């Protein structure tokens, strides 16, 4: 039997989810956004409040501490949060997509009960450590090693640019268990922050997402019990790549949120701001820019929702997630740039949120795979 | 403990436009919300449930789309939701509405009934008190705080114009709550996930024992003859004065219009 064909509506549940996330973002998150940016402060209170509402484990079953929602609902949460505070958006995205998700997808039942349950309940915060000083886009160049010693793996090395680093309790860490095998020598581990040999190094000072903690992780004879190996030994690279496929939908949603948030602020501003005797919204230049931006944001959003839908329906989504992230990130950059321009001199000051949104947007073109890497992922599929 | 909460879906604005031809409210295109006084009362019911354990049943009378509101109440923590809906109930004034609600409630077990003080669309503050009268139970209106509740009695803070009254009342009783009594909680994600698995019980005319002459538009003694928006008769005066003279002028004007005394 044929299905109903294309359907662009959220279902009733997702609609109610969006209503909750929008209300929460407006009332609880927005009032703090400028302050946490200015103070470069991790908004731990937002994490606590999100935990209370069950937002830290949206797409996981309640038997694993989750909220029995779907992936698209989680994406709606990242989007709504990022409209008002991109920092809070990425905290949720890194926690859910990069830490909870690989445990959910590759973990044993024991690992899920021990780690996913407190993560999804929001009692613990999660992070993901793949990037190293010499392994960025070339993630296969891992230098961190994990040597099996009895019932433990001894990990030595470091990770950089780790989102939620320092605040997270649980980390998914990638390390070489067999240097001879290249990508097939990489394994994934679940690491707890309190394990001996684990420490936090440099905290980055960044252009944007000031409230998000971006830290170096240092492992010095870090002994991880062998039952904390995630998936099979040597399968870590595949775990990292598939985890990032999902993460990209989250970052794409963050980009859509930033773009929509900036455009919403701009629409409000151009109606109020008067020059040459009229509100600047009366000028066709303004009207055309706004029309173009909303059109592009809608296109980006549809790409993001498509990728989330594919994930929810267990279809392959690697290429579509890359497309969504590539396009949404560029739309976020374009929208925030033009939002600042339409605000004129005021847009360059911290009196208006578009200044922050402009700084926040840039990272969406870089982390969880740069725009260039997304283009590689897409073209590899097309040209293979 | 069984708590019944009476709630109403209302248009999300206090500035409703009126259709000049028909004299009725223009409802199309206006988003709806749960009436704030009712939602605060619901929150109090949930707090009693959280602290002492209780079954919270939400009841609303309205058209089928009121189910949307009831889904949200499930997502916030309601145990059961009942929609009282039938074309025969339509067009009811407060008297006919409270007749209908009392007939529904008479079939239920309850220890406490909570209703919002008044709805932001009609502002009558009558349905709660009338329902209590028709059920023959005591009532306390304008409740702004619940100080104590047990299986036998409730002690509340009732708001008066310039003061509060502390009142105690045996259960079962009905209280009407102010929106200031509590800030309603958010829905939870898990609550939303399961809100659509739960049944909304629909009660129609055939499900209750009631005289058809006391319900709906026909059973409503209130007849709306005409509804109109007061026309503005006078244009504003625009004066440009220095601050001191402006202040004096404002005070004089307020005295002239008797908004303040001399």
């Amino acid at each position: 039997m044929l299905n109903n064909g294309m359907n662009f509506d959220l279902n009733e549940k997702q609609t109610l989810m969006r209503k909750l996330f929008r209300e929460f973002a407006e009332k609880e998150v927005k009032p703090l956004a400028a302050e946490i940016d200015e103070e470069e402060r991790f908004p731990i209170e937002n994490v606590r409040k999100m935990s209370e509402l069950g937002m830290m484990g949206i797409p996981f079953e309640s038997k694993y501490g989750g909220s029995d929602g779907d992936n698209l609902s989680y994406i709606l949460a990242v989007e709504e949060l990022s409209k008002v505070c991109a920092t809070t958006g990425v905290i949720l995205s890194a926690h859910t997509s990069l830490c909870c998700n690989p445990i959910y997808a590759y973990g044993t039942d024991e690992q899920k009960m021990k780690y996913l349950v407190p993560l999804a309940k929001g009692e613990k915060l999660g992070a993901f450590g793949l990037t190293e000083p010499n392994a960025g886009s070339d993630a296969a160049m891992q230098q961190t090693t994990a040597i099996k010693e009895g019932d433990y793996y001894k990990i030595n090395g470091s990770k950089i640019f780790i989102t939620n680093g320092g605040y997270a309790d649980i980390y998914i860490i990638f390390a070489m268990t067999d240097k001879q095998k290249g990508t097939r020598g990489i394994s994934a581990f679940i690491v707890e922050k309190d394990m001996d040999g684990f420490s936090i190094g440099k905290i980055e000072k960044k252009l944007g997402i000031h409230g998000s903690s971006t830290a170096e992780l240092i492992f010095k004879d870090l002994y991880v019990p062998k039952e904390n190996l995630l998936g099979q030994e040597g399968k870590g690279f595949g775990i990292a790549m598939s985890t990032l496929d999902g993460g990209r939908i989250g970052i794409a949603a963050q980009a859509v949120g930033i773009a929509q948030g900036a455009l919403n602020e701009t629409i409000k501003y151009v109606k109020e701001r008067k020059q040459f005797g009229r509100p600047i919204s009366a000028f066709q230049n303004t009207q055309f820019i706004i029309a173009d931006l909303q059109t592009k944001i809608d296109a980006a959003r549809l790409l993001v929702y498509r990728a989330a839908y594919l994930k929810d329906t267990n279809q392959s989504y690697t290429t579509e997630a890359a497309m969504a992230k590539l396009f949404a990130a560029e739309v976020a950059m374009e929208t925030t740039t033009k939002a600042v321009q339409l605000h004129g001199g005021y847009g360059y000051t911290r009196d208006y949120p578009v200044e922050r949104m402009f700084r926040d947007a840039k990272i969406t073109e870089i982390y969880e795979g740069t725009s260039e890497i997304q283009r590689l992922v897409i073209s590899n599929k097309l040209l293979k | 403990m069984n708590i019944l909460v009476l709630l109403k879906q209302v248009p999300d604005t206090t500035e409703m436009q009126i259709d000049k031809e028909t004299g009725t409210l223009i409802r199309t295109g206006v988003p709806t919300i749960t009436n704030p006084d009712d939602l605060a009362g619901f929150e109090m019911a949930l707090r009693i449930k959280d602290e002492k354990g209780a079954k919270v049943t939400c009841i609303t009378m309205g058209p089928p789309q009121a189910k949307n509101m009831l889904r949200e109440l499930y997502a916030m923590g309601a145990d059961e939701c009942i929609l009282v809906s039938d074309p025969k109930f339509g067009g009811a004034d407060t008297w006919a509405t409270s007749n209908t609600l009392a007939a529904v409630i008479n079939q239920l077990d309850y220890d406490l009934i909570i209703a919002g003080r008044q709805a932001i669309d009609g502002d009558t503050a009558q349905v709660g008190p009338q329902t209590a009268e028709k059920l023959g139970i005591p009532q306390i209106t304008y409740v702004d705080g619940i100080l104590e509740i047990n299986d036998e009695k409730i002690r509340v803070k009732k708001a008066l114009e310039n003061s509060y009254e502390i009142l105690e009342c045996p259960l079962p009783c009905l209280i009407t709550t102010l929106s200031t009594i509590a800030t309603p909680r958010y829905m939870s994600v898990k609550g939303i996930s399961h809100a659509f698995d739960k049944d909304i019980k629909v009660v129609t005319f055939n499900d209750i024992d009631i005289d058809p002459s006391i319900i709906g538009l026909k059973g409503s003694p209130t007849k709306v003859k005409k509804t109109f928006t007061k026309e503005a008769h006078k244009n504003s005066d625009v004066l440009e004065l220095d601050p001191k003279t402006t202040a004096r002028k404002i005070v004089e004007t307020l005295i002239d219009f008797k908004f303040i005394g001399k």
Side-chain angles (χ1 to χ4, degrees), chain B residues 14-27:
Chain B
T14 46
E15 292 173 26
M16 285 297 292
Q17 298 292 310
I18 288 165
D19 185 325
K20 285 186 180 166
E21 303 259 309
T22 62
T24 56
L25 298 173
I26 301 171
R27 287 179 187 273

PDB file of all heavy atoms in Angstrom, chain B residues 14-27:
ATOM      1  N   THR B  14      -6.419  39.724  25.772  1.00  0.00           N
ATOM      2  CA  THR B  14      -7.464  40.398  26.535  1.00  0.00           C
ATOM      3  C   THR B  14      -8.130  41.474  25.677  1.00  0.00           C
ATOM      4  O   THR B  14      -9.024  42.166  26.112  1.00  0.00           O
ATOM      5  CB  THR B  14      -6.875  41.048  27.803  1.00  0.00           C
ATOM      6  OG1 THR B  14      -5.690  41.746  27.426  1.00  0.00           O
ATOM      7  CG2 THR B  14      -6.553  40.013  28.854  1.00  0.00           C
ATOM      8  N   GLU B  15      -7.654  41.583  24.460  1.00  0.00           N
ATOM      9  CA  GLU B  15      -8.243  42.593  23.565  1.00  0.00           C
ATOM     10  C   GLU B  15      -8.940  41.924  22.391  1.00  0.00           C
ATOM     11  O   GLU B  15      -8.532  42.046  21.244  1.00  0.00           O
ATOM     12  CB  GLU B  15      -7.140  43.526  23.049  1.00  0.00           C
ATOM     13  CG  GLU B  15      -6.572  44.387  24.157  1.00  0.00           C
ATOM     14  CD  GLU B  15      -5.376  45.186  23.688  1.00  0.00           C
ATOM     15  OE1 GLU B  15      -5.282  45.470  22.493  1.00  0.00           O
ATOM     16  OE2 GLU B  15      -4.551  45.510  24.541  1.00  0.00           O
ATOM     17  N   MET B  16      -9.989  41.220  22.717  1.00  0.00           N
ATOM     18  CA  MET B  16     -10.724  40.529  21.664  1.00  0.00           C
ATOM     19  C   MET B  16     -11.459  41.533  20.777  1.00  0.00           C
ATOM     20  O   MET B  16     -11.985  42.536  21.243  1.00  0.00           O
ATOM     21  CB  MET B  16     -11.750  39.592  22.296  1.00  0.00           C
ATOM     22  CG  MET B  16     -11.148  38.348  22.887  1.00  0.00           C
ATOM     23  SD  MET B  16     -10.350  37.311  21.663  1.00  0.00           S
ATOM     24  CE  MET B  16     -11.771  36.752  20.707  1.00  0.00           C
ATOM     25  N   GLN B  17     -11.499  41.231  19.502  1.00  0.00           N
ATOM     26  CA  GLN B  17     -12.274  42.046  18.575  1.00  0.00           C
ATOM     27  C   GLN B  17     -13.692  41.465  18.505  1.00  0.00           C
ATOM     28  O   GLN B  17     -13.886  40.269  18.624  1.00  0.00           O
ATOM     29  CB  GLN B  17     -11.646  42.011  17.180  1.00  0.00           C
ATOM     30  CG  GLN B  17     -10.237  42.573  17.125  1.00  0.00           C
ATOM     31  CD  GLN B  17     -10.208  44.075  17.368  1.00  0.00           C
ATOM     32  OE1 GLN B  17     -10.961  44.822  16.742  1.00  0.00           O
ATOM     33  NE2 GLN B  17      -9.353  44.514  18.276  1.00  0.00           N
ATOM     34  N   ILE B  18     -14.641  42.374  18.332  1.00  0.00           N
ATOM     35  CA  ILE B  18     -16.031  41.923  18.259  1.00  0.00           C
ATOM     36  C   ILE B  18     -16.566  42.162  16.842  1.00  0.00           C
ATOM     37  O   ILE B  18     -16.329  43.213  16.242  1.00  0.00           O
ATOM     38  CB  ILE B  18     -16.892  42.661  19.305  1.00  0.00           C
ATOM     39  CG1 ILE B  18     -16.534  42.126  20.696  1.00  0.00           C
ATOM     40  CG2 ILE B  18     -18.379  42.491  19.035  1.00  0.00           C
ATOM     41  CD1 ILE B  18     -17.012  42.962  21.834  1.00  0.00           C
ATOM     42  N   ASP B  19     -17.236  41.162  16.319  1.00  0.00           N
ATOM     43  CA  ASP B  19     -17.864  41.280  15.007  1.00  0.00           C
ATOM     44  C   ASP B  19     -19.054  42.229  15.153  1.00  0.00           C
ATOM     45  O   ASP B  19     -20.015  41.930  15.872  1.00  0.00           O
ATOM     46  CB  ASP B  19     -18.326  39.883  14.551  1.00  0.00           C
ATOM     47  CG  ASP B  19     -18.880  39.905  13.140  1.00  0.00           C
ATOM     48  OD1 ASP B  19     -19.513  40.921  12.764  1.00  0.00           O
ATOM     49  OD2 ASP B  19     -18.687  38.920  12.411  1.00  0.00           O
ATOM     50  N   LYS B  20     -18.995  43.385  14.479  1.00  0.00           N
ATOM     51  CA  LYS B  20     -20.039  44.399  14.681  1.00  0.00           C
ATOM     52  C   LYS B  20     -21.397  43.938  14.162  1.00  0.00           C
ATOM     53  O   LYS B  20     -22.428  44.352  14.656  1.00  0.00           O
ATOM     54  CB  LYS B  20     -19.617  45.704  13.990  1.00  0.00           C
ATOM     55  CG  LYS B  20     -18.540  46.438  14.776  1.00  0.00           C
ATOM     56  CD  LYS B  20     -18.221  47.790  14.186  1.00  0.00           C
ATOM     57  CE  LYS B  20     -17.141  48.452  15.040  1.00  0.00           C
ATOM     58  NZ  LYS B  20     -16.518  49.600  14.395  1.00  0.00           N
ATOM     59  N   GLU B  21     -21.409  43.072  13.165  1.00  0.00           N
ATOM     60  CA  GLU B  21     -22.661  42.579  12.598  1.00  0.00           C
ATOM     61  C   GLU B  21     -23.390  41.654  13.575  1.00  0.00           C
ATOM     62  O   GLU B  21     -24.563  41.840  13.866  1.00  0.00           O
ATOM     63  CB  GLU B  21     -22.381  41.793  11.316  1.00  0.00           C
ATOM     64  CG  GLU B  21     -21.632  42.581  10.258  1.00  0.00           C
ATOM     65  CD  GLU B  21     -22.557  43.094   9.173  1.00  0.00           C
ATOM     66  OE1 GLU B  21     -23.316  42.271   8.638  1.00  0.00           O
ATOM     67  OE2 GLU B  21     -22.523  44.309   8.883  1.00  0.00           O
ATOM     68  N   THR B  22     -22.631  40.654  14.074  1.00  0.00           N
ATOM     69  CA  THR B  22     -23.291  39.633  14.888  1.00  0.00           C
ATOM     70  C   THR B  22     -23.167  39.892  16.385  1.00  0.00           C
ATOM     71  O   THR B  22     -23.883  39.283  17.179  1.00  0.00           O
ATOM     72  CB  THR B  22     -22.666  38.243  14.612  1.00  0.00           C
ATOM     73  OG1 THR B  22     -21.280  38.303  14.990  1.00  0.00           O
ATOM     74  CG2 THR B  22     -22.766  37.875  13.141  1.00  0.00           C
ATOM     75  N   GLY B  23     -22.273  40.782  16.766  1.00  0.00           N
ATOM     76  CA  GLY B  23     -22.089  41.069  18.185  1.00  0.00           C
ATOM     77  C   GLY B  23     -21.356  39.964  18.930  1.00  0.00           C
ATOM     78  O   GLY B  23     -21.334  39.936  20.146  1.00  0.00           O
ATOM     79  N   THR B  24     -20.757  39.018  18.213  1.00  0.00           N
ATOM     80  CA  THR B  24     -20.039  37.937  18.891  1.00  0.00           C
ATOM     81  C   THR B  24     -18.535  38.150  18.784  1.00  0.00           C
ATOM     82  O   THR B  24     -18.066  38.941  17.965  1.00  0.00           O
ATOM     83  CB  THR B  24     -20.388  36.564  18.267  1.00  0.00           C
ATOM     84  OG1 THR B  24     -20.104  36.641  16.872  1.00  0.00           O
ATOM     85  CG2 THR B  24     -21.839  36.226  18.482  1.00  0.00           C
ATOM     86  N   LEU B  25     -17.793  37.425  19.621  1.00  0.00           N
ATOM     87  CA  LEU B  25     -16.337  37.527  19.604  1.00  0.00           C
ATOM     88  C   LEU B  25     -15.783  36.916  18.317  1.00  0.00           C
ATOM     89  O   LEU B  25     -16.261  35.880  17.870  1.00  0.00           O
ATOM     90  CB  LEU B  25     -15.730  36.758  20.793  1.00  0.00           C
ATOM     91  CG  LEU B  25     -16.107  37.242  22.190  1.00  0.00           C
ATOM     92  CD1 LEU B  25     -15.561  36.278  23.234  1.00  0.00           C
ATOM     93  CD2 LEU B  25     -15.549  38.632  22.439  1.00  0.00           C
ATOM     94  N   ILE B  26     -14.789  37.594  17.742  1.00  0.00           N
ATOM     95  CA  ILE B  26     -14.104  37.012  16.581  1.00  0.00           C
ATOM     96  C   ILE B  26     -13.028  36.085  17.119  1.00  0.00           C
ATOM     97  O   ILE B  26     -12.056  36.521  17.719  1.00  0.00           O
ATOM     98  CB  ILE B  26     -13.472  38.125  15.705  1.00  0.00           C
ATOM     99  CG1 ILE B  26     -14.556  39.082  15.221  1.00  0.00           C
ATOM    100  CG2 ILE B  26     -12.711  37.513  14.537  1.00  0.00           C
ATOM    101  CD1 ILE B  26     -14.027  40.324  14.528  1.00  0.00           C
ATOM    102  N   ARG B  27     -13.235  34.783  16.924  1.00  0.00           N
ATOM    103  CA  ARG B  27     -12.314  33.809  17.501  1.00  0.00           C
ATOM    104  C   ARG B  27     -11.314  33.253  16.485  1.00  0.00           C
ATOM    105  O   ARG B  27     -10.301  32.691  16.857  1.00  0.00           O
ATOM    106  CB  ARG B  27     -13.087  32.629  18.097  1.00  0.00           C
ATOM    107  CG  ARG B  27     -13.788  32.992  19.388  1.00  0.00           C
ATOM    108  CD  ARG B  27     -14.565  31.798  19.924  1.00  0.00           C
ATOM    109  NE  ARG B  27     -15.358  32.205  21.073  1.00  0.00           N
ATOM    110  CZ  ARG B  27     -14.894  32.210  22.313  1.00  0.00           C
ATOM    111  NH1 ARG B  27     -13.663  31.870  22.566  1.00  0.00           N
ATOM    112  NH2 ARG B  27     -15.686  32.579  23.309  1.00  0.00           N
TER     113      ARG B  27
END
